[in-house]
Coordinates of all heavy atoms in Angstrom, one line a residue:
G190 N 30.5 -24.9 -34.0 CA 30.1 -24.4 -32.7 C 30.9 -23.4 -32.1 O 30.8 -23.1 -30.9
G191 N 31.6 -22.7 -32.9 CA 32.4 -21.5 -32.5 C 33.8 -21.9 -32.2 O 34.5 -21.0 -31.6
E192 N 34.3 -23.1 -32.5 CA 35.7 -23.4 -32.2 C 36.6 -22.6 -33.2 O 37.6 -22.2 -32.7 CB 35.9 -24.9 -32.5 CG 35.2 -25.8 -31.5 CD 35.9 -25.8 -30.1 OE1 37.1 -25.3 -30.0 OE2 35.3 -26.1 -29.1
S193 N 36.1 -22.3 -34.4 CA 36.9 -21.6 -35.4 C 35.9 -20.6 -36.0 O 34.7 -21.0 -36.3 CB 37.6 -22.5 -36.4 OG 36.6 -23.3 -37.1
W194 N 36.4 -19.4 -36.4 CA 35.6 -18.4 -37.1 C 36.3 -17.9 -38.4 O 37.5 -17.9 -38.4 CB 35.3 -17.2 -36.2 CG 34.5 -17.5 -35.0 CD1 34.9 -18.0 -33.7 CD2 33.0 -17.4 -35.0 NE1 33.8 -18.2 -32.9 CE2 32.7 -17.8 -33.6 CE3 32.0 -17.0 -35.8 CZ2 31.4 -17.8 -33.2 CZ3 30.7 -17.1 -35.4 CH2 30.3 -17.5 -34.1
H195 N 35.5 -17.6 -39.4 CA 36.0 -17.3 -40.7 C 35.4 -15.9 -41.2 O 34.2 -15.8 -41.0 CB 35.8 -18.3 -41.7 CG 36.1 -19.7 -41.3 ND1 37.4 -20.2 -41.4 CD2 35.4 -20.7 -40.6 CE1 37.5 -21.4 -40.9 NE2 36.3 -21.8 -40.4
R196 N 36.2 -15.0 -41.5 CA 35.7 -13.6 -41.9 C 35.4 -13.4 -43.3 O 36.1 -14.0 -44.2 CB 36.9 -12.7 -41.4 CG 36.5 -11.3 -41.8 CD 37.5 -10.2 -41.3 NE 37.4 -9.0 -41.9 CZ 37.8 -7.8 -41.3 NH1 38.3 -7.8 -40.1 NH2 37.7 -6.6 -41.9
V197 N 34.3 -12.8 -43.6 CA 33.9 -12.5 -44.9 C 33.4 -11.1 -45.0 O 33.0 -10.5 -43.9 CB 32.8 -13.4 -45.6 CG1 33.3 -14.9 -45.6 CG2 31.5 -13.3 -44.7
A198 N 33.4 -10.4 -46.2 CA 32.9 -9.0 -46.3 C 31.3 -9.1 -46.6 O 30.9 -9.9 -47.3 CB 33.5 -8.4 -47.5
V199 N 30.7 -8.2 -46.0 CA 29.2 -8.1 -46.1 C 28.9 -6.6 -46.4 O 29.4 -5.7 -45.7 CB 28.4 -8.6 -44.9 CG1 26.9 -8.4 -45.1 CG2 28.7 -10.0 -44.7
M200 N 28.1 -6.3 -47.4 CA 27.6 -4.9 -47.6 C 26.7 -4.4 -46.5 O 25.8 -5.0 -46.1 CB 26.8 -4.8 -49.0 CG 26.4 -3.4 -49.4 SD 25.3 -3.5 -50.9 CE 26.4 -4.2 -52.0
G201 N 27.0 -3.2 -46.0 CA 26.3 -2.5 -45.0 C 26.5 -2.8 -43.6 O 27.3 -3.7 -43.2
K202 N 25.7 -2.1 -42.7 CA 25.8 -2.3 -41.3 C 24.7 -3.3 -40.9 O 23.5 -3.0 -41.1 CB 25.7 -1.0 -40.5 CG 25.9 -1.1 -39.0 CD 25.6 0.3 -38.3 CE 26.7 1.1 -38.6 NZ 26.6 2.4 -37.9
R203 N 25.1 -4.4 -40.2 CA 24.1 -5.4 -39.8 C 23.9 -5.3 -38.2 O 24.8 -5.4 -37.5 CB 24.6 -6.9 -40.1 CG 25.0 -7.1 -41.5 CD 24.0 -7.1 -42.5 NE 23.7 -5.7 -43.0 CZ 22.7 -5.3 -43.6 NH1 21.7 -6.1 -43.8 NH2 22.6 -4.1 -44.0
H204 N 22.6 -5.1 -37.8 CA 22.2 -5.0 -36.4 C 21.7 -6.2 -35.8 O 21.9 -6.3 -34.6 CB 21.3 -3.9 -36.3 CG 21.8 -2.5 -36.6 ND1 22.7 -1.8 -35.8 CD2 21.4 -1.6 -37.6 CE1 23.0 -0.7 -36.4 NE2 22.2 -0.5 -37.4
A205 N 21.2 -7.1 -36.5 CA 20.6 -8.4 -35.9 C 20.7 -9.5 -36.9 O 20.6 -9.2 -38.2 CB 19.2 -8.1 -35.4
A206 N 20.7 -10.7 -36.5 CA 20.7 -11.9 -37.5 C 19.8 -13.0 -36.8 O 19.9 -13.1 -35.6 CB 22.2 -12.3 -37.7
R207 N 19.3 -13.8 -37.5 CA 18.5 -15.0 -37.2 C 18.6 -16.1 -38.2 O 18.5 -15.8 -39.4 CB 17.1 -14.7 -36.9 CG 16.8 -13.8 -35.7 CD 17.2 -14.5 -34.4 NE 16.9 -13.5 -33.3 CZ 17.8 -12.5 -32.8 NH1 18.9 -12.4 -33.4 NH2 17.4 -11.7 -31.8
F208 N 18.8 -17.4 -37.8 CA 18.8 -18.4 -38.7 C 17.4 -18.8 -39.1 O 16.5 -18.8 -38.3 CB 19.4 -19.7 -38.1 CG 20.9 -19.7 -38.3 CD1 21.8 -19.1 -37.5 CD2 21.5 -20.5 -39.4 CE1 23.1 -19.1 -37.8 CE2 22.9 -20.5 -39.6 CZ 23.7 -19.8 -38.8
L209 N 17.2 -19.1 -40.4 CA 15.9 -19.4 -40.9 C 15.7 -21.0 -40.9 O 14.6 -21.5 -41.0 CB 15.7 -19.0 -42.4 CG 15.9 -17.5 -42.7 CD1 15.9 -17.2 -44.1 CD2 14.9 -16.7 -41.9
G210 N 16.8 -21.7 -40.8 CA 16.8 -23.2 -40.8 C 17.9 -23.7 -41.7 O 18.2 -23.1 -42.8
G211 N 18.6 -24.8 -41.3 CA 19.6 -25.3 -42.1 C 20.8 -24.3 -42.2 O 21.2 -23.7 -41.2
E212 N 21.1 -24.0 -43.4 CA 22.2 -23.0 -43.6 C 21.7 -21.7 -43.9 O 22.5 -20.7 -44.2 CB 23.2 -23.5 -44.7 CG 24.0 -24.8 -44.3 CD 25.1 -25.1 -45.4 OE1 24.7 -25.3 -46.6 OE2 26.3 -25.0 -45.0
A213 N 20.5 -21.4 -43.9 CA 19.9 -20.1 -44.3 C 19.9 -19.2 -43.1 O 19.4 -19.6 -42.0 CB 18.5 -20.3 -44.9
V214 N 20.3 -18.1 -43.2 CA 20.3 -17.0 -42.2 C 20.0 -15.7 -42.8 O 20.5 -15.3 -43.9 CB 21.7 -17.0 -41.5 CG1 22.8 -16.8 -42.5 CG2 21.8 -16.0 -40.3
V215 N 19.3 -14.8 -42.1 CA 18.9 -13.4 -42.5 C 19.6 -12.5 -41.5 O 19.6 -12.8 -40.3 CB 17.5 -13.2 -42.6 CG1 16.8 -13.6 -41.3 CG2 17.1 -11.8 -43.2
A216 N 20.0 -11.3 -42.0 CA 20.6 -10.3 -41.2 C 20.0 -8.9 -41.6 O 19.8 -8.7 -42.8 CB 22.1 -10.2 -41.3
V217 N 19.6 -8.0 -40.7 CA 19.0 -6.8 -41.0 C 19.8 -5.6 -40.4 O 20.7 -5.8 -39.5 CB 17.6 -6.6 -40.5 CG1 16.7 -7.8 -41.1 CG2 17.6 -6.8 -38.9
G218 N 19.7 -4.4 -41.1 CA 20.4 -3.3 -40.6 C 20.2 -2.1 -41.5 O 19.0 -1.7 -41.7
E219 N 21.2 -1.6 -42.2 CA 21.0 -0.4 -43.1 C 22.0 -0.5 -44.1 O 23.2 -1.0 -44.1 CB 21.2 0.8 -42.2 CG 22.5 0.9 -41.3 CD 22.4 2.0 -40.3 OE1 22.4 3.1 -40.7 OE2 22.5 1.7 -39.1
R220 N 21.5 0.0 -45.3 CA 22.3 0.1 -46.5 C 23.0 -1.3 -46.9 O 24.2 -1.3 -46.9 CB 23.4 1.2 -46.4 CG 22.8 2.6 -46.2 CD 23.8 3.6 -46.2 NE 24.9 3.4 -45.3 CZ 24.9 3.7 -43.9 NH1 23.9 4.3 -43.4 NH2 26.0 3.4 -43.2
P221 N 22.2 -2.3 -47.3 CA 20.7 -2.4 -47.4 C 20.0 -2.8 -46.1 O 20.7 -3.1 -45.1 CB 20.6 -3.5 -48.5 CG 21.8 -4.4 -48.1 CD 22.9 -3.4 -47.7
G222 N 18.7 -2.8 -46.2 CA 17.9 -3.2 -44.9 C 18.1 -4.6 -44.6 O 18.1 -4.9 -43.4
A223 N 18.2 -5.6 -45.5 CA 18.1 -6.9 -45.3 C 19.1 -7.6 -46.2 O 19.2 -7.4 -47.4 CB 16.7 -7.5 -45.4
S224 N 19.8 -8.8 -45.7 CA 20.7 -9.5 -46.5 C 20.4 -11.0 -46.1 O 20.1 -11.3 -44.9 CB 22.2 -9.2 -46.2 OG 22.4 -7.9 -46.5
V225 N 20.6 -11.9 -47.0 CA 20.4 -13.3 -46.7 C 21.5 -14.1 -47.2 O 22.2 -13.8 -48.2 CB 19.1 -13.8 -47.5 CG1 19.0 -15.4 -47.5 CG2 17.8 -13.2 -46.9
S226 N 21.9 -15.2 -46.4 CA 23.0 -16.1 -46.8 C 22.2 -17.4 -46.8 O 21.5 -17.9 -45.9 CB 24.1 -16.1 -45.8 OG 24.9 -17.2 -46.0
R227 N 22.6 -18.2 -47.9 CA 22.0 -19.6 -48.0 C 23.0 -20.7 -47.8 O 22.8 -21.9 -47.9 CB 21.4 -19.8 -49.4 CG 20.3 -18.7 -49.7 CD 19.0 -19.0 -49.0 NE 17.9 -18.1 -49.3 CZ 16.7 -18.1 -48.7 NH1 16.5 -18.9 -47.7 NH2 15.9 -17.2 -49.0
D228 N 24.2 -20.3 -47.3 CA 25.3 -21.2 -47.1 C 26.0 -20.9 -45.8 O 27.3 -21.1 -45.7 CB 26.4 -21.1 -48.3 CG 26.9 -19.7 -48.5 OD1 26.7 -18.8 -47.7 OD2 27.5 -19.4 -49.5
G229 N 25.2 -20.7 -44.7 CA 25.7 -20.6 -43.4 C 26.6 -19.4 -43.2 O 27.4 -19.3 -42.2
G230 N 26.4 -18.3 -44.0 CA 27.2 -17.1 -43.7 C 28.4 -16.9 -44.6 O 29.1 -15.9 -44.4
R231 N 28.7 -17.9 -45.4 CA 29.9 -17.8 -46.2 C 29.8 -16.7 -47.3 O 30.6 -15.9 -47.6 CB 30.2 -19.1 -46.9 CG 30.6 -20.2 -46.0 CD 30.7 -21.5 -46.6 NE 31.1 -22.6 -45.7 CZ 30.3 -23.2 -44.8 NH1 29.1 -22.9 -44.7 NH2 30.9 -24.1 -44.1
T232 N 28.6 -16.6 -48.0 CA 28.3 -15.5 -48.9 C 27.0 -14.8 -48.6 O 26.0 -15.6 -48.0 CB 28.3 -16.1 -50.3 OG1 27.2 -17.1 -50.4 CG2 29.6 -16.7 -50.7
W233 N 26.8 -13.7 -49.0 CA 25.6 -12.8 -48.6 C 25.1 -12.1 -49.9 O 26.0 -11.7 -50.7 CB 25.8 -11.9 -47.5 CG 26.2 -12.4 -46.2 CD1 27.5 -13.0 -45.8 CD2 25.3 -12.7 -45.1 NE1 27.4 -13.5 -44.6 CE2 26.2 -13.4 -44.0 CE3 24.0 -12.4 -44.8 CZ2 25.7 -13.7 -42.9 CZ3 23.5 -12.8 -43.6 CH2 24.3 -13.4 -42.6
R234 N 23.9 -11.9 -50.0 CA 23.3 -11.0 -51.1 C 22.2 -10.2 -50.4 O 21.4 -10.6 -49.5 CB 22.7 -11.9 -52.1 CG 21.5 -12.7 -51.8 CD 21.0 -13.6 -53.0 NE 19.9 -14.3 -52.8 CZ 18.6 -13.9 -52.6 NH1 18.4 -12.6 -52.8 NH2 17.6 -14.7 -52.3

């Protein structure tokens, strides 16, 4: 709930993000246009 935050590297500039459900989240921006994480933001592709 935001008590602690953990930093990871993500390719590109992300302008917006939304959860798809569970641990799945999508972020959009540029270079690349869209990235998805299936583990709550720990890793992105």
